[in-house]
């Protein structure tokens, strides 16, 4: 009797065997209902076998093989198997995460009638395409000449250089050759804007979106359209990398440096890295686009004979020149609610010209903390090792880590003092001051509080594009992917803290953030200006920004990382544990180190367990230990051997642990 090998979503790294009289080879990749424990689960058949390591009498018969659901292709199963091996995550958990919830529950979504609209000859006619600059044409030719075989290309283009137009030309070529195209973007907020642009360019193509903000039925329909070859173009965020595409011919990753491509819970995968593996698996080109590539990507592309081919776009396609960047030295100036005289004067000039300004402060809320000057009380979160942020607009204190909310107290809870103050500033406080300073200006704040739904976000974008805003106050939500023709001034406030952060990636993120947000200015006919307020105007990072010299910054950072032995010159994994008591987390990690002692450890460094910097979140206390090696294969071999010992470790019932391979957060 055939034996099914089934992947089930449980936290154990194994497959489960079941008997099935009617099983056929064509059932590999199908979902199946199986008995498990006292109930039933739905798993995926990943193989058939003639025998099992278990005695025949101990195998349970499988339930229904769900043949009304589409079978998942072999290359999709191989993709999930790779993620399971590399990220040390159970295969059933990988497949469960990659499948839409409908299919995960063994259901098909209801079919929706396609809206058929009459295409006029004008709509059906080809759009007049913008003329490519020389560098754009070179990039398109270089990538499209390699269709049909694997190659990784880094498209390094300054902001406004027309990277999206290169993507669209490549997608056009892929469709002409009968292929499907996959395009990943880092943020859900960017997807509707991109959808509109792609739909306008390819009116006859079937375009499918995939992101976590979609309804379950819509996500399942898109997945099935992609699987059955009906989708021509798939646009989405990181989870779209798992969509099955039988005619895949091109993968594009926009803003490849963005940390949003790394999943931070469950299967902790990098969609960028998974996409590169998938492109190699399917023998198709992949394009990694960015104005500020990740240092790992830049390292792979900057050397002769490197893993990636570097293609440069050094000229703006939308303006004569990039915005001018200058640093405002704030050491000898008394700031007005955090704003310098020079920046306030620049805002005033834009108001007189009917142009838009953006003040960038990557800290939402009114102020980072509420404090009592009499007794020293501060508004700490009782569930996290963090402060409650003041949100004055709705009179609340809010934790940005766990979501805990409290009413702002009228007096100090510690001593009863009525004179308690917010300290520091966030976007709400900046908005309040600017409204007082420029009473005639139309001011709009954009952050996770004001744009907390896709509908609100879209309405805010429409307001900006309509020219009904004079001053924008925003966080990193505005830093990438947006074209505002009237925006000519960007002022960056409060950036210095990242220069001295403990995280070795902080300078890279700061440079990227400032270059991206600065690139929002001067994207049309009007010249742009970026003003960075800083107490360290001569810092090499700021000097590289002033010179628009990413390569200099990146090379300096890579030299520092080489000397320190940081990625990309080493490979890392973190074992993390969380429990009600920090002692339990630390004890588990110390036991984990002990289990590693008998294992081959050539080239493997295990560091001592330490509490995480944010050691308490949601009332759970967290610790971690770092595993590092100069060899990726050596690290992977060690982790694979270590995992079986970790699963055998006894731990308190409420303790949870996981491995994070190639971590971005420490």
């Amino acid at each position: 009797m055939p034996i099914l090998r089934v992947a089930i979503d449980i936290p154990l790294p194994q497959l489960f065997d079941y008997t099935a009289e009617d099983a056929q080879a064509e059932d590999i990749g199908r979902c199946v209902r199986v008995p498990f424990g006292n109930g039933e689960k739905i798993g995926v058949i990943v193989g058939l076998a003639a025998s099992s390591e278990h005695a025949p009498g101990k195998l349970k018969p499988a339930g229904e093989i769900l043949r009304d659901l589409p079978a998942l292709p072999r290359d999709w199963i191989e993709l999930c198997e790779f993620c399971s091996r590399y990220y040390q995550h159970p295969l059933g958990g990988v497949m469960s995460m990659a499948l839409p919830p409908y299919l995960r529950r063994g259901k098909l979504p209801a079919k929706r009638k396609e809206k058929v609209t009459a295409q006029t000859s004008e709509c059906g006619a080809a759009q007049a395409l913008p003329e490519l600059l020389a560098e754009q044409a070179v990039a398109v030719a270089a990538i499209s000449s390699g269709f049909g075989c694997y190659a990784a290309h880094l498209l390094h283009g300054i902001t406004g250089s027309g990277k999206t137009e290169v993507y669209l030309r490549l997608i056009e070529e892929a469709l002409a050759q009968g292929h499907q195209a996959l395009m990943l973007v880092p943020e859900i907020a960017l997807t509707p804007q991109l959808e509109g642009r792609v739909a306008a360019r390819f009116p006859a193509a079937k375009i499918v979106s995939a992101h976590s903000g979609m309804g379950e039925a819509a996500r399942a329909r898109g997945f099935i359209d992609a699987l059955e070859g009906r989708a021509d173009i798939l646009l989405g965020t990181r989870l779209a990398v798992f969509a099955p595409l039988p005619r895949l011919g091109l993968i594009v990753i926009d803003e490849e440096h963005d940390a949003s491509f790394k999943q931070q819970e469950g299967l902790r995968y990098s969609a960028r890295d998974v996409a590169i593996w998938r492109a190699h698996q399917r023998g198709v080109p992949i394009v990694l686009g960015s104005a500020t590539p990740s240092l790992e990507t830049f390292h792979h592309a900057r050397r002769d004979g490197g893993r990636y081919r570097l293609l440069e776009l050094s000229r703006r396609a939308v303006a004569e020149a990039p915005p001018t960047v200058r640093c405002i030295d704030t050491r000898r100036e008394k700031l007005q609610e955090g704003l310098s005289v020079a920046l306030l004067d620049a805002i005033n000039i834009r108001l007189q010209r009917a142009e838009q300004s953006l003040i960038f402060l990557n800290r939402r809320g009114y102020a980072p903390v509420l404090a009592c000057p009499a007794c020293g009380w501060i508004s700490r979160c009782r569930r996290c090792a963090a402060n409650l942020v003041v949100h004055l607009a709705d009179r609340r204190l809010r934790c940005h880590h766990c979501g805990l909310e409290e009413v702002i107290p009228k007096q100090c809870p510690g001593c009863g003092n009525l004179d308690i103050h917010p300290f520091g500033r966030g976007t709400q406080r900046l908005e309040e001051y600017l409204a007082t300073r420029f009473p005639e200006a139309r001011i709009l704040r954009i952050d996770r509080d004001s744009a907390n739904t896709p509908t609100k976000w879209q309405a805010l974008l429409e307001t900006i594009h309509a020219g009904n805003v004079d001053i924008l106050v925003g966080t990193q939500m505005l830093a990438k992917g947006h074209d505002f023709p009237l925006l000519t001034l960007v002022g960056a406030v409060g950036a210095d803290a990242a220069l001295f952060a403990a995280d070795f990636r902080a300078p890279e993120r700061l440079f990227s953030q400032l270059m991206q947000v600065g690139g929002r200015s001067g994207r049309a006919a009007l010249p742009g200006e970026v003003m960075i307020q800083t107490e360290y105007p001569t810092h090499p990072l700021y000097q590289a920004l002033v010179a628009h010299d990413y390569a200099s910054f990146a090379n300096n950072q890579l030299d520092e990382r080489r000397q320190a032995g940081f990625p990309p010159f080493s490979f890392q994994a973190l074992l993390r544990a969380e429990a009600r008591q920090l002692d339990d987390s630390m004890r588990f990690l110390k036991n984990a180190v002990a289990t590693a002692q008998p294992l081959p450890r050539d080239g493997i460094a295990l560091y001592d367990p330490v509490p995480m910097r944010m050691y308490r979140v949601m009332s759970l206390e967290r610790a971690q230990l770092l595993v590092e090696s100069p060899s990726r294969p050596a690290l992977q071999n060690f982790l694979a051997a270590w995992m079986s010992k970790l699963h055998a470790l006894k731990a308190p019932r409420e303790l949870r642990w996981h491995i994070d391979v190639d971590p971005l957060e420490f």
Side-chain angles (χ1 to χ4, degrees):
M1 182 181 298
I3 295 171
L4 303 181
R5 292 272 158 82
V6 181
I8 301 173
D9 182 17
I10 64 166
L12 290 175
Q14 65 187 76
L15 301 177
F16 295 86
D17 291 354
Y18 293 88
T19 59
E21 293 183 358
D22 62 340
Q24 305 169 11
E26 293 77 15
D27 290 326
I28 294 176
R30 291 196 183 279
C31 293
V32 59
R33 201 181 304 275
V34 296
F36 194 88
N38 295 325
E40 283 188 335
K41 286 186 176 290
I42 291 176
V44 177
I45 301 170
V46 297
L48 297 181
S51 61
S52 171
E53 62 182 23
H54 303 286
K58 290 191 174 182
L59 294 183
K60 294 181 180 180
E64 178 188 6
I65 297 176
L66 304 177
R67 295 191 174 96
D68 55 332
L69 270 60
L72 298 157
R74 184 65 232 174
D75 69 278
W76 186 87
I77 295 174
E78 291 171 353
L79 178 68
C80 292
E81 289 172 339
F82 161 74
C83 289
S84 175
R85 289 192 308 272
Y86 187 82
Y87 294 106
Q88 306 297 328
H89 197 80
L91 179 59
V94 175
M95 291 182 164
S96 177
M97 185 280 307
L99 285 171
Y102 260 79
L103 301 186
R104 201 184 303 157
R105 295 194 297 266
K107 294 170 56 180
L108 279 173
K111 290 186 177 180
R112 189 170 61 182
K113 291 183 179 180
E114 295 286 341
K115 293 182 180 180
V116 180
T117 56
Q119 294 274 351
T120 65
S121 57
E122 184 180 358
C123 290
Q127 287 187 346
L129 302 182
E131 185 176 347
L132 293 179
L133 300 177
E135 289 177 323
Q136 289 176 306
V138 168
V140 171
I143 299 167
S144 59
S145 66
F147 273 37
C149 60
Y150 168 74
H153 304 270
L154 170 57
L155 185 64
H156 178 208
I158 63 172
T159 54
S161 60
K163 292 185 292 293
T164 304
E165 183 59 34
V166 172
Y167 304 153
L168 295 176
R169 296 294 180 102
L170 293 170
I171 291 171
E172 180 180 33
E173 179 64 25
L175 298 185
Q177 295 185 21
H179 299 309
Q180 294 168 296
L182 170 63
M183 184 171 182
L184 302 184
V185 295
E187 300 273 359
I188 293 175
L190 301 182
T191 310
Q193 178 180 326
L194 189 62
E195 279 178 327
R197 188 165 177 182
V198 174
R201 179 64 68 88
F202 305 108
K206 183 171 181 60
I207 302 165
V208 167
S209 291
H211 55 77
S212 58
M214 297 173 62
E216 289 188 1
R219 184 179 161 192
R221 280 192 290 266
F223 187 93
I224 294 171
D225 283 341
L227 167 63
E228 297 181 346
R230 291 189 294 273
D232 298 308
I233 304 170
L234 182 68
L235 302 176
T237 51
R238 60 176 177 257
L239 64 82
V241 75
F242 291 101
L245 295 159
R247 297 184 288 109
L248 181 63
L250 172 70
I251 301 177
V252 172
I253 304 186
D254 192 27
E255 309 290 3
E256 67 83 27
H257 65 277
D258 199 287
S260 299
F261 284 122
K262 178 70 188 282
Q263 173 82 13
Q264 297 295 350
E265 58 187 26
L267 171 64
R268 289 162 170 81
Y269 69 97
S270 162
R272 178 197 63 200
D273 297 346
V274 172
I276 292 168
W277 189 92
R278 190 175 187 187
H280 189 272
Q281 174 203 30
R282 298 293 299 275
V284 302
I286 181 168
V287 182
L288 310 171
S290 177
T292 55
S294 67
L295 292 183
E296 287 84 355
T297 298
F298 188 69
H299 173 65
H300 291 319
R302 69 175 180 163
R303 298 171 300 170
D304 292 337
R307 291 171 54 187
Y308 306 157
R309 179 176 182 180
L310 178 61
L311 298 167
E312 299 269 12
L313 302 181
S314 59
R315 291 183 54 198
R316 275 199 158 196
V318 295
E320 289 298 321
T324 58
V325 180
R326 64 187 179 109
C327 295
I328 308 300
D329 190 344
T330 59
R331 288 173 293 184
R332 298 176 181 85
E333 181 177 350
K334 185 176 181 180
L335 303 180
Q336 301 175 41
E337 279 297 333
L339 301 179
S340 63
V341 172
L343 181 53
L344 290 169
D345 288 345
I347 294 171
N348 193 45
I349 290 171
R350 266 63 184 190
L351 291 172
Q352 294 172 12
R353 295 179 186 167
E355 297 171 4
Q356 293 174 334
S357 304
L358 164 61
I359 308 305
F360 173 71
L361 173 62
N362 203 27
R363 188 185 299 126
R364 62 190 174 99
Y366 184 84
V369 66
L370 188 68
C372 174
C375 71
W377 173 89
I378 62 173
S379 55
R380 287 195 175 96
C381 176
R382 63 176 180 269
R383 301 193 302 195
C384 303
N387 295 328
L388 295 176
V389 178
V390 181
H391 286 255
L392 202 60
D394 48 4
R395 303 291 304 171
R396 309 290 284 179
L397 297 173
R398 188 172 296 140
C399 178
H400 289 177
H401 298 277
C402 72
L404 176 71
E405 291 191 13
E406 296 180 359
V407 175
I408 294 178
K410 295 181 179 179
Q411 61 188 32
C412 173
C415 68
N417 177 25
L418 296 175
D419 190 23
I420 53 177
H421 302 291
F423 283 85
R425 61 188 53 81
T427 50
Q428 289 182 9
R429 188 168 187 168
L430 207 53
E431 176 191 28
E432 179 183 83
Y433 172 72
L434 288 169
T436 304
R437 178 65 183 255
F438 304 107
E440 303 302 318
R442 298 165 297 177
I443 300 173
L444 187 65
R445 173 173 51 87
I446 294 186
D447 52 29
R448 294 292 179 194
D449 298 318
S450 64
N452 55 9
T453 68
T455 302
K456 288 182 180 179
W457 173 238
Q458 196 58 38
L460 291 171
L461 288 179
E462 290 172 2
T463 301
I464 300 170
H465 282 289
N468 296 327
V469 179
D470 299 312
I471 303 173
L472 291 163
V473 179
T475 61
Q476 62 184 350
M477 289 186 72
L478 284 172
K480 54 206 168 193
H482 303 293
D483 288 329
F484 304 134
L486 294 177
L487 182 62
T488 61
L489 172 67
V490 170
V493 179
D496 284 347
L499 294 177
F500 308 104
D503 186 351
F504 69 89
R505 286 192 171 89
E508 177 185 3
R509 291 178 181 141
L510 176 61
F511 187 93
S512 173
Q513 203 172 67
L514 292 178
M515 181 169 274
Q516 293 285 340
V517 73
R520 298 315 102 205
S521 69
R523 292 179 69 91
L526 301 171
E529 182 180 17
V530 181
M531 303 175 73
I532 302 171
Q533 293 190 173
T534 175
E535 294 184 2
Y536 308 95
T538 60
H539 193 284
L541 184 148
Y542 291 137
Q543 291 303 302
L545 280 166
V546 169
H548 298 280
D549 192 353
Y550 167 82
S552 172
F553 166 77
N555 287 326
N556 287 337
Q557 284 288 300
L558 286 168
D559 287 344
E560 290 181 10
R561 291 197 187 181
R562 182 186 290 106
Q563 295 172 25
F566 289 151
F569 305 101
S570 66
F571 303 93
Q572 298 177 331
L574 283 173
L575 175 62
R576 295 193 181 101
E578 59 183 29
R580 291 291 177 184
Q581 299 296 325
L582 185 60
D583 286 347
D584 289 337
S585 300
M586 293 290 288
R587 189 178 302 112
F588 174 85
L589 295 180
K590 290 175 182 176
N591 291 338
V593 172
T595 67
Q597 299 305 321
L599 297 176
R601 291 172 54 186
D602 290 344
I604 301 294
L606 258 73
Y607 293 87
D608 291 336
V610 294
M612 294 178 64
R613 282 200 293 270
M614 180 67 68
Y615 73 90
R616 186 174 65 248
V617 173
M618 295 285 289
S619 299
L620 294 175
E621 300 197 339
R622 314 183 302 166
Q624 64 187 20
L625 70 84
L626 175 65
V627 188
E628 193 172 59
S629 174
S631 164
R632 192 193 302 272
L635 178 63
Q636 283 291 313
N637 291 336
F638 170 78
L639 292 177
W642 197 29
M643 284 296 287
S644 60
K645 294 184 176 295
L646 293 177
H647 281 288
L649 270 180
K650 291 184 178 180
R653 172 173 289 186
E654 71 275 7
L655 183 137
R656 297 290 181 267
W657 62 269
H658 67 265
I659 289 276
D660 187 356
V661 179
D662 301 333
L664 291 185
E665 296 184 357
F666 285 81

